[in-house]
Amino acid sequence: ANFIQIKGPSLLSMWVGESEKGVRKIFEKARQVAPCIIFFDEIDSLAGRRGMEMGSKVTERVLNQILSEMDGIEDLKNVVVIGATNRPDMLDPALMRPGRFDRILLVDVPNEKSREKILQIHTTKMPISLERRPARSRTPSSTPAAKLGIDPVRAADRKISKNQKKY
């Protein structure tokens, strides 16, 4: 299957109609390359509750376009739409109606055993002594990556610069 990832805020445009046009293009492309998964990251930035916004109401227009694409005249055959948010309370209730987003999956902070496994995975190739490695019991309310200060971009930069040849 093909995968189209959309970062919610990047779809918004200051030009009237451009954001809605972007939504139409995304769904059009997904239909053309089906089977396809459309993944909206931070969907709350695009599909917030209607009636809450002042001004241009661009997010309301984008939400209306998403809803019409999801259950409009053109069938979404072999196209799956997934949305991710850390603010499900901010989503418009119309998104949760049957035929749109039918299921809600809550991914919570990992338990103690899971945190220990995550710490092992992320620190095995790091030059960290066992004493410096955070204990799983000392990470009760946050993710191990946050406790370790792991930033994937910085980690990749370190790995690249470590492997570069010096002339």
Side-chain angles (χ1 to χ4, degrees):
N2 294 293
F3 188 82
I4 301 173
Q5 179 183 2
I6 296 95
K7 294 180 180 158
S10 68
L11 193 57
L12 298 176
S13 172
M14 64 183 219
W15 306 108
V16 176
E18 286 298 310
S19 300
E20 298 92 314
K21 182 179 177 182
V23 171
R24 284 191 301 274
K25 282 185 176 182
I26 289 164
F27 279 88
E28 181 182 318
K29 184 172 189 164
R31 284 186 196 96
Q32 290 173 350
V33 299
C36 185
I37 297 169
I38 301 173
F39 176 67
F40 286 99
D41 194 10
E42 298 180 45
I43 195 165
D44 53 294
S45 66
L46 299 173
R49 291 183 184 271
R50 289 179 276 194
M52 306 290 283
E53 183 181 0
M54 304 298 276
S56 68
K57 300 190 185 269
V58 66
T59 57
E60 287 187 20
R61 292 193 316 268
V62 168
L63 172 60
N64 290 333
Q65 188 65 47
I66 290 171
L67 294 174
S68 69
E69 291 290 343
M70 288 177 79
D71 58 5
I73 295 171
E74 289 188 56
D75 193 21
L76 281 181
K77 191 173 183 171
N78 293 322
V79 176
V80 175
V81 182
I82 300 173
T85 181
N86 58 357
R87 295 293 313 269
D89 57 311
M90 299 294 290
L91 294 176
D92 192 271
L95 279 174
M96 297 303 163
R97 292 194 186 127
R100 293 176 180 161
F101 290 109
D102 294 330
R103 296 186 184 112
I104 298 173
L105 176 64
L106 176 65
V107 179
D108 209 357
V109 176
N111 63 23
E112 189 172 318
K113 186 176 179 181
S114 298
R115 286 193 308 270
E116 180 179 13
K117 183 70 177 166
I118 292 168
L119 285 168
Q120 287 175 351
I121 290 168
H122 284 284
T123 60
T124 53
K125 295 183 180 180
M126 290 183 172
I128 299 175
S129 67
L130 292 175
E131 298 83 42
R132 298 268 331 248
R133 202 174 284 191
R136 66 177 192 263
S137 61
R138 292 192 310 238
T139 61
S141 62
S142 67
T143 61
K147 281 287 188 186
L148 285 171
I150 295 174
D151 177 1
V153 174
R154 287 187 187 162
D157 285 344
R158 280 195 300 269
K159 188 174 184 177
I160 291 169
S161 61
K162 181 179 166 187
N163 293 331
Q164 285 178 342
K165 293 180 181 178
K166 298 191 184 199
Y167 296 97

